[in-house]
Amino acid sequence: MTDMSTLSAPARPEKAPSPLSMFEFWPGWIFYTPVVMYWIIMGLRYRDVSLPTAANPRIETGGLCGESKSSILNMAGETARRWIAPYTMVETGRNDTARALQAMEHAGLSFPVVLKPDIGCNGTGVKLVGDAAALTQALAAFPRRVSLMLQRLIPYSYEVGIFYIRHPDEAHGRITSMTYKEVPVLVGDGRSTVEELLHADPRTRLVPQIYVPRLRERLAQVPAAGETLPLVFTGNHCKGAIFHNCTADVTPELEARIDGIMHDIPDFHFGRIDVKAESAASLLRGEKFEIIEINGVGSEATHIWDSRTTLREAYAAQFMHYRETFRIGAKKRSAGWKPSGAMTMLRCWLRQRRLLSSYPMND
């Protein structure tokens, strides 16, 4: 696995190392049932289950589901835009490659780029594209009339999820969660196949179903001694990335930088900012990082997927964050903003679900 020695550990009692937490890969319906029940209870208390969608009222459903990634980034003012990795958009149809190349040229983008659906979640359909031929192949994997984002590949290695909350009546927001995302890597020994290396690793052998489909064509290959094989490109836990809770590392400099950026996105109060930084040290100084995307009400405080997190701690974090969405939504409602409504939430969720089922496997 990748060496994490350059990152400081959170200030918490030491626990014996564990490859996986007890609940890390439970079926979603089991883990999220208490969260949904809590949401319903809060909805009854505030007399509107869709109230959190008013927490970020300029975003469709507040970013709960079905929202456009580009529409959020497009709201960024001059200050915030400087920190966002450049991107452009293309819709699949006819002459996809030619139109995509033209859009890239107009945006000043060159290969490699990251191709991803404008409406999506959990890294589904995300592709690393190195040249025009790979672009043609990636575009062809999507159905017609799907909006896709082409974004510059950020040249930094540390990917981090930063959760930000600011109440409408507060001058400054705060970071409530920070998670370093590690890409698991196999290291060849010159004798073992990729499949054997997967089953020898203390973590990947417990969840081979996550990695095997993506590596199916390489399972019988024997990597040379010292050769490294990254197992996933996207920094998503459900796709195989390893998450480390580093909330305790947050500095005043980083918090001030994130607060300044998010103030430049109108009426944004709750969500996660996914970034890549040159190093842990530069990030904590609030320097040399770029934003990949900004997620709204539907995003999680991803530190809960650190294998050291207990089930009680995970639910406490989930409940606290979603309670805040109701509190913020109530304040925005009092200011005249309207929640999306339950039927709009359902319609957007069904649209997102349909689109996700049509996307190709991520890299």
Side-chain angles (χ1 to χ4, degrees):
M1 298 295 181
T2 300
D3 181 11
M4 296 298 293
S5 61
T6 56
L7 303 177
S8 60
R12 58 189 296 173
E14 289 296 322
K15 296 181 181 180
S18 174
L20 298 176
S21 71
M22 175 186 71
F23 60 90
E24 198 171 343
F25 288 100
W26 279 2
W29 68 269
I30 294 179
F31 178 79
Y32 287 106
T33 292
V35 178
V36 172
M37 292 175 64
Y38 183 80
W39 186 292
I40 293 172
I41 291 170
M42 294 298 291
L44 293 173
R45 176 180 175 184
Y46 283 91
R47 291 188 268 184
D48 189 345
V49 294
S50 74
L51 185 59
T53 63
N56 302 319
R58 297 182 188 270
I59 303 172
E60 186 172 21
T61 71
L64 176 64
C65 58
E67 76 281 6
S68 156
K69 299 178 188 298
S70 62
S71 69
I72 301 175
L73 299 182
N74 288 343
M75 291 193 299
E78 184 178 346
T79 298
R81 197 176 301 120
R82 291 201 301 266
W83 295 91
I84 297 172
Y87 63 93
T88 190
M89 304 301 298
V90 65
E91 185 178 272
T92 56
R94 294 184 177 180
N95 303 316
D96 288 353
T97 303
R99 289 187 296 105
L101 290 172
Q102 185 177 29
M104 286 175 58
E105 182 179 6
H106 186 264
L109 298 176
S110 58
F111 294 110
V113 293
V114 179
L115 177 72
K116 55 186 173 182
D118 192 34
I119 296 176
C121 65
N122 296 328
T124 303
V126 176
K127 297 286 187 182
L128 176 60
V129 178
D131 53 36
L135 178 61
T136 299
Q137 184 177 8
L139 290 169
F142 287 88
R144 293 183 56 149
R145 303 191 68 180
V146 170
S147 183
L148 301 174
M149 177 183 291
L150 291 157
Q151 189 172 45
R152 184 174 76 92
L153 178 65
I154 300 171
Y156 300 147
S157 57
Y158 289 112
E159 185 169 348
V160 185
I162 299 171
F163 212 100
Y164 172 85
I165 296 177
R166 179 176 67 84
H167 282 254
D169 53 356
E170 293 177 336
H172 300 287
R174 65 192 189 278
I175 294 174
T176 59
S177 168
M178 185 165 75
T179 310
Y180 289 103
K181 305 176 182 183
E182 177 190 357
V183 173
V185 176
L186 297 180
V187 180
D189 58 12
R191 302 183 307 275
S192 304
T193 64
V194 169
E195 185 171 19
E196 290 169 340
L197 291 172
L198 278 173
H199 288 290
D201 183 271
R203 179 181 173 92
T204 60
R205 67 182 176 84
L206 298 177
V207 282
Q209 72 277 8
I210 294 179
Y211 305 104
V212 167
R214 204 175 296 112
L215 298 170
R216 195 170 302 280
E217 295 182 0
R218 301 193 62 178
L219 291 177
Q221 295 179 6
V222 178
E227 180 183 349
T228 58
L229 175 62
L231 297 183
V232 65
F233 169 65
T234 57
N236 296 90
H237 175 263
C238 64
K239 299 296 190 288
I242 303 171
F243 284 9
H244 301 269
N245 179 7
C246 290
T247 307
D249 290 348
V250 173
T251 61
E253 293 81 4
L254 174 60
E255 193 162 63
R257 177 71 71 193
I258 294 298
D259 189 44
I261 293 170
M262 302 317 294
H263 263 84
D264 202 31
I265 298 177
D267 292 293
F268 187 95
H269 296 283
F270 181 96
R272 192 186 67 244
I273 305 99
D274 293 330
V275 311
K276 279 192 172 183
E278 181 183 65
S279 66
S282 67
L283 176 70
L284 298 181
R285 294 194 302 269
E287 302 171 350
K288 296 184 179 179
F289 67 86
E290 291 187 33
I291 294 173
I292 304 169
E293 63 184 43
I294 298 170
N295 306 278
V297 169
S299 53
E300 281 187 317
T302 50
H303 74 271
I304 67 172
W305 302 116
D306 184 312
S307 64
R308 296 166 295 180
T309 303
T310 67
L311 186 61
R312 181 176 181 177
E313 291 169 340
Y315 281 131
Q318 293 279 62
F319 296 163
M320 183 278 287
H321 282 87
Y322 291 129
R323 182 169 61 250
E324 290 296 280
T325 66
F326 277 93
R327 293 182 63 213
I328 295 170
K331 293 176 182 179
K332 299 299 284 186
R333 181 173 60 182
S334 297
W337 294 96
K338 293 183 179 181
S340 298
M343 291 308 297
T344 298
M345 287 170 50
L346 177 61
R347 184 170 63 253
C348 289
W349 178 75
L350 290 173
R351 179 184 63 185
Q352 177 176 284
R353 184 182 181 188
R354 185 186 72 252
L355 286 170
L356 289 173
S357 68
S358 72
Y359 296 157
M361 181 179 294
N362 64 290
D363 286 347

